[in-house]
Amino acid sequence: MSLVGRLLGLASLATAFVSPDGTGRLPAMGWNSWNEYECNISEDVFITVARQLVNLWLRDLGYEYVNIDDCWSDKEQRRNATTDELIPDSKKFPRGIIHVADEVHSLGLKLGIYSDAGSETCGGYAGSLGYEELDSATFSRWGIDYLKYDNCNVPSEWADEYEYIPEEPTSNAPAGYDWGSSNTAKRYRAMSGALQRQNRTIQYSLCAWGHAHVEQWGNSTGHSWRMWGDIFPAWKGKEKWSWEVGNGELTIEENRSHFALWCAFKSPLIIGTPLDTLALRKPILDILSNRELIDFNQDSVYGASAMPYKWGNDRPANTSDREHPAAFWVGTSVKGIHVFLLNTQDTAVNMRAVFAEIPPLKAVADQQLLVHDMWSGQDLGTFTECFELEVNTHDTAALRITTVEGKHPNASWSPR
Ligand SMILES: *[C@@H]1O[C@H](CO)[C@@H](O)[C@H](O)[C@H]1NC(C)=O
Ligand SMILES: *[C@@H]1O[C@H](CO)[C@@H](O)[C@H](O)[C@H]1NC(C)=O
Ligand SMILES: *[C@@H]1O[C@H](CO)[C@@H](O)[C@H](O)[C@H]1NC(C)=O
Ligand SMILES: *[C@@H]1O[C@H](CO)[C@@H](O)[C@H](O)[C@H]1NC(C)=O
Ligand SMILES: *[C@@H]1O[C@H](CO)[C@@H](O)[C@H](O)[C@H]1NC(C)=O
Ligand SMILES: *[C@@H]1O[C@H](CO)[C@@H](O)[C@H](O)[C@H]1NC(C)=O
Ligand SMILES: *[C@@H]1O[C@H](CO)[C@@H](O)[C@H](O)[C@H]1NC(C)=O
C-alpha cells in the first residue's frame, strides 16, 4: 500500500455499533490534522484547533473531536523497553498526550488519536497489530476519546485469502463469501474488542479504505468505517475520491457540494482545513457552519442516508461513473423531506424536482408543498407537481419540502 490512507469517508449508520453511552449513534463531528499538516504536528496545532472550535462557534454546532493523525509517536524509540507502551514524540508533544487531552477536555471537547492495524503506520511509526490490548489501555489512560485505525503495512501472514478493493471492484472470492471472516475483519475486530474492554468510551473509526467489503462487517465492528481511498481536493481525479472542503483547488460551489453530500450521506463530518483565523476564510466557515445541513446529518430520529431517486445525466440507474454520479437525491428528517440536486455538468443547468418522481411525495404530488432552501434558510414558496431552479456548475441545491403548514409530508417514509 502507498503511504496514504487517511481521512474519514462515507459511512451509513442505519444500524451500527453504538456504545452504551450512545457514542456512535450519530455521525462523528470534529477535525483531523492529516490533510493540512501531515507529519508536521505539535501540541500547539491541537490546542489551537480546540480553541478555534470554541471561538468560531463550531463546538456549539456539534464539532467535538480534535483528532491527532499519523506521526505523533516516537519514530526511533517506538515502545517503552519495559512496558511496551507507545511513546509520544517528545519534541512534538513535550508535555505528553495526557496534557493535550486535559487541555482539549477543559474546553468541552474530545481528543482523538491514530494507529494502524499493521506492523507500522502509513508514515512508518509503530503500529498496533498484536498490541491491541496494551495500546487501547494506553489510549484510555491518556484520556483518548476516538481512534482512527489505518490499514498500512499488513504483514504477509495477515494477508487476505481473497482481495477486494473498491477502486478496482473485481474479486476472486467465491459467491456468498463471508467477508466478515477475512483477515482484514479479524485485524479490525481485535482492536474493537480491546477498546470495548477499556473503562472509557473510545469512538472507533475503521480506516480500511473499503477493502474486504468493510460495508458488510464494519457496522458491527466500529462506529464508522471508511469506504474508499483518500480524498483529494480536485473535482475530477482518476484515482481518488476528490472532494474536500477547505483545501486545494475547489470552487466555492464544489466546496458546497462536498459538504452537502457528506451531510446527506450521514458521513462523519471531520474538518480537514486549518481553523486559524488567517487561513480560514468566511465563505468556507459558512459552509462548515450550515446548521440545516448539519441538522440533517445529525437527525436523532431518521438515521438513513439520502438515496438517489433518479440518476439524471442521461444515465440509467446505478451507472457507475465518478464524474457523473447520481444527480437527484431524497432523504428524510424530523423537519420534512429533503431533496439534494447535484449538478455535475460543466455549465449551470435548470434542475427540476418532479414530486411524482420522489417516492415519499408521490401521494401528495398534486397538492401544494412548501419548498425551503437549506443553504440560505429561506422559504422559496409553495409549488404543486414540481419545483425547478438553476443550479450552478458543480453546485448542489439542498431543499426541504413540507406541507404548506410546515408539517412533514410523509413521516412514515424512510430510504430503507
Ligand atoms: C449490521 O448490519 C447488518 C445488516 O444490515 C445487521 O443485520 C446488523 O444488525 C448490523 N449490526 C449492528 C451491530 O447494528
Ligand atoms: C511546520 O510547522 C511549523 C509550525 O507550525 C511551521 O512554522 C513550518 O513552516 C512547518 N513546516 C513545513 C515544512 O510545513
Ligand atoms: C518506560 O516505562 C517505565 C515504567 O512506567 C518508566 O519508568 C520509564 O520512564 C519509561 N521509559 C520511557 C523512555 O518512557
Ligand atoms: C479505569 O481504568 C484505569 C486504568 O486502568 C484504572 O486506574 C481505574 O481504576 C479504572 N476505573 C474503573 C472505574 O474501573
Ligand atoms: C474551496 O475550498 C478550497 C480550499 O479552501 C479553497 O482553496 C478554495 O479557495 C475554496 N474556494 C473558494 C472559491 O473559496
Ligand atoms: C439500483 O441498485 C439498488 C441497490 O442495489 C437496487 O435496489 C435498485 O433496484 C437498482 N435500480 C435499478 C433500476 O436497477
Ligand atoms: C409515503 O411514502 C410511501 C413510499 O413511497 C408511499 O407508499 C405512501 O403513500 C406515502 N404516504 C403519504 C401519506 O404520502
Side-chain angles (χ1 to χ4, degrees):
M1 280 303 136
S2 60
L3 192 139
V4 287
R6 314 293 171 181
L7 213 71
L8 294 169
L10 314 178
S12 152
L13 291 173
T15 45
F17 176 66
V18 177
S19 294
D21 69 356
T23 294
R25 204 173 92 81
L26 301 179
M29 293 176 67
W31 184 92
N32 170 292
S33 54
W34 182 258
N35 284 330
E36 178 61 18
Y37 297 95
E38 300 198 346
C39 285
N40 192 20
I41 53 173
S42 67
E43 67 169 38
D44 283 350
V45 166
F46 300 99
I47 293 169
T48 301
V49 160
R51 292 187 181 141
Q52 285 299 89
L53 286 172
V54 176
N55 294 341
L56 299 170
W57 301 94
L58 292 167
R59 178 189 65 180
D60 297 281
L61 288 165
Y63 293 95
E64 63 176 341
Y65 290 99
V66 176
N67 290 349
I68 302 171
D69 206 274
D70 201 357
C71 313
W72 60 267
S73 69
D74 190 309
K75 204 171 184 177
E76 274 73 50
Q77 294 190 71
R78 305 177 89 80
R79 290 181 179 275
N80 183 305
T82 313
T83 65
D84 257 355
E85 287 192 336
L86 288 164
I87 302 175
D89 182 319
S90 62
K91 289 200 189 66
K92 294 170 180 166
F93 299 96
R95 291 174 284 184
I97 302 293
I98 294 178
H99 171 75
V100 183
D102 288 346
E103 291 280 319
V104 166
H105 291 156
S106 74
L107 294 169
L109 296 164
K110 295 178 174 173
L111 186 68
I113 208 160
Y114 165 100
S115 192
D116 188 285
S119 55
E120 291 188 346
T121 70
C122 302
Y125 297 73
S128 289
L129 185 65
Y131 293 90
E132 293 86 357
E133 297 293 334
L134 177 62
D135 290 353
S136 47
T138 304
F139 298 150
S140 175
R141 183 168 63 77
W142 287 349
I144 294 293
D145 306 293
Y146 183 110
L147 174 68
K148 170 180 164 184
Y149 205 39
D150 219 336
N151 199 24
C152 283
N153 299 308
V154 177
S156 54
E157 68 269 25
W158 279 98
D160 282 340
E161 187 178 6
Y162 305 109
E163 197 173 64
Y164 173 81
I165 295 175
E167 290 87 345
E168 297 148 27
T170 52
S171 174
N172 55 353
Y177 176 67
D178 173 14
W179 288 93
S181 70
S182 66
N183 278 341
T184 298
K186 287 178 187 156
R187 287 184 292 115
Y188 278 84
R189 269 203 302 271
M191 183 54 91
S192 178
L195 290 170
Q196 286 173 65
R197 282 187 283 279
Q198 305 310 311
N199 61 12
R200 181 177 186 86
T201 299
I202 298 181
Q203 173 134 191
Y204 184 33
S205 162
L206 315 185
C207 185
W209 317 327
H211 290 197
H213 277 293
V214 65
E215 77 281 3
Q216 294 178 15
W217 48 268
N219 73 327
S220 50
T221 306
H223 299 95
S224 65
W225 52 100
R226 212 171 86 172
M227 294 300 295
W228 200 261
D230 284 13
I231 56 172
F232 188 74
W235 184 256
K236 292 179 183 173
K238 254 192 172 170
E239 299 174 4
K240 292 177 175 175
W241 188 248
S242 57
W243 296 332
E244 181 194 337
V245 182
N247 298 323
E249 299 301 319
L250 301 178
T251 66
I252 200 75
E253 290 82 6
E254 291 167 348
N255 287 338
R256 280 157 49 103
S257 287
H258 177 190
F259 188 72
L261 292 173
W262 281 37
C263 287
F265 297 162
K266 305 272 178 171
S267 168
L269 302 176
I270 305 292
I271 298 171
T273 199
L275 296 182
D276 53 278
T277 320
L278 288 175
L280 181 69
R281 293 176 313 102
K282 176 78 165 56
I284 299 297
L285 179 61
D286 286 346
I287 292 173
L288 297 171
S289 306
N290 185 285
R291 185 183 282 276
E292 294 195 27
L293 285 164
I294 293 172
D295 283 351
F296 181 86
N297 179 266
Q298 298 285 308
D299 194 278
S300 63
V301 175
Y302 298 93
S305 160
M307 68 166 205
Y309 67 88
K310 186 165 88 169
W311 218 253
N313 298 318
D314 299 322
R315 281 163 172 75
N318 298 338
T319 302
S320 176
D321 179 337
R322 287 186 206 166
E323 283 182 29
H324 299 288
F328 295 85
W329 296 76
V330 62
T332 188
S333 81
V334 291
K335 295 180 189 168
I337 292 296
H338 298 254
V339 171
F340 302 91
L341 306 173
L342 164 66
N343 175 13
T344 62
Q345 304 297 322
D346 290 333
T347 56
V349 295
N350 286 331
M351 296 184 76
R352 180 180 290 192
V354 177
F355 301 152
E357 291 177 349
I358 302 172
L361 299 181
K362 281 195 167 89
V364 290
D366 59 351
Q367 297 173 25
Q368 290 221 313
L369 294 171
L370 177 62
V371 179
H372 173 91
D373 179 356
M374 295 166 72
W375 279 116
S376 68
Q378 304 293 308
D379 288 344
L380 299 173
T382 55
F383 299 84
T384 48
E385 291 178 2
C386 71
F387 173 74
E388 184 172 302
L389 82 170
E390 188 182 82
V391 182
N392 273 341
T393 174
H394 299 176
D395 201 358
T396 296
L399 307 169
R400 185 186 74 209
I401 300 178
T402 60
T403 69
V404 286
E405 297 84 23
K407 297 222 165 62
H408 201 300
N410 193 338
S412 64
W413 179 80
S414 167
R416 284 164 210 241

